[in-house]
C-alpha cells in the first residue's frame, strides 16, 4: 500500500511491474524476477476533510494525513485550518499530546512558506487553552533557527515571528520597525532573550 500526496493526485502506474524500465522486462531472466503485484494507492489529494476525519484513526494520524495533503498549498491549508481545531484539541489531550502537537507544528513551519507564517501564527492561537505553550514552542524554534543563521536579517525575522507568536501583532508600528533595522546584532540578541519573559512590546524593546 502506498500513501500519496503528489500534487494533482497519483497519475503513474498502479503495478510494480510497470514501474520497471522496458529493457528490464525484455530480458527473460530478469523479467522472471520482477514482482507482479498491484499497488493499493491511498491518494490523499482525492479525499475531502470529512473523509479524512471519518477514518477510524486517532487524532494525530488524521492531522498528519491532512498536513501531508495540504501543507504545500498554504492557501488551501489556511482556509481549512478551522475545520481541524477540534482534532488538534483531541490530539493534545491524548498521551504524549504535547509531543504530537510539537511534531505537527514543526512540520508545518518547515513546509509552509515564511510569507504565510504570520497568518499561520494567528490560526494557531485559536487552538485552545494551551495556546500560550504552543506559541512559546514555536517561539523557541524560531529563536534557535534565527540564532543558527547568525545573520542580522535572520535575527530580525526570528524576533518578528516571536513577537507575532506571543503578542498576536500582525505588524509592528513604524517606531519599532525603525528600532529593529537600526539595532546592532547585540541589541537584537537581547530583544530575542527578553521576548520569552516580556509582557508587552515595549518591555521587549525598552527593557
Amino acid at each position: 500500500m502506498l500513501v500519496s500526496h503528489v500534487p494533482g493526485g497519483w497519475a503513474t502506474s498502479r503495478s510494480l511491474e510497470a514501474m520497471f524500465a522496458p529493457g528490464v522486462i525484455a530480458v527473460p531472466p530478469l523479467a522472471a524476477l520482477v514482482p507482479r503485484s498491484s499497488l493499493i494507492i491511498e491518494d490523499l489529494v482525492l479525499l475531502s476533510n470529512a473523509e479524512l476525519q471519518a477514518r477510524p484513526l486517532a487524532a494525530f494520524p488524521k492531522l498528519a494525513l491532512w498536513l501531508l495533503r495540504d501543507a504545500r498549498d498554504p492557501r488551501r491549508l489556511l482556509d481549512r485550518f478551522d475545520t481541524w481545531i477540534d482534532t488538534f484539541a483531541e490530539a493534545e489531550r491524548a498521551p504524549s499530546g504535547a509531543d504530537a502537537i510539537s511534531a505537527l507544528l514543526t512540520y508545518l513551519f518547515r513546509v509552509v512558506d515564511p510569507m504565510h507564517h504570520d497568518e499561520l501564527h494567528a490560526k494557531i492561537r485559536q487552538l485552545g487553552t494551551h495556546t500560550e505553550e504552543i506559541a512559546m514552542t514555536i517561539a523557541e524554534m524560531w529563536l534557535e533557527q534565527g540564532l543558527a543563521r547568525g545573520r542580522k536579517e535572520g535575527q530580525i525575522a526570528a524576533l518578528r515571528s516571536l513577537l507575532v507568536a506571543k503578542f498576536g501583532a500582525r505588524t509592528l508600528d513604524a517606531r519599532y520597525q525603525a528600532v529593529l533595522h537600526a539595532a546592532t546584532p547585540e541589541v537584537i540578541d537581547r530583544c530575542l532573550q527578553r521576548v520569552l519573559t516580556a509582557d508587552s512590546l515595549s518591555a521587549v524593546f525598552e527593557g
Side-chain angles (χ1 to χ4, degrees), residues 18-40:
M19 293 182 178
F20 285 82
V24 173
I25 304 301
V27 179
L30 293 178
L33 301 175
V34 172
R36 289 168 170 79
S37 299
S38 297
L39 293 172
I40 300 172

Side-chain angles (χ1 to χ4, degrees), residues 70-91:
D70 287 356
R72 290 180 294 183
D73 184 345
R75 190 69 270 145
R76 177 182 170 112
L77 175 89
L78 293 166
D79 287 347
R80 290 159 176 76
F81 195 98
D82 292 359
T83 304
W84 293 91
I85 288 176
D86 290 343
T87 314
F88 268 109
E90 182 183 345

Side-chain angles (χ1 to χ4, degrees), residues 104-123:
L104 293 167
L105 295 182
T106 297
Y107 177 77
L108 265 179
F109 280 94
R110 288 183 182 277
V111 175
V112 174
D113 191 295
M115 69 179 292
H116 298 285
H117 282 186
D118 286 1
E119 190 173 354
L120 183 56
H121 278 300
K123 291 290 186 181

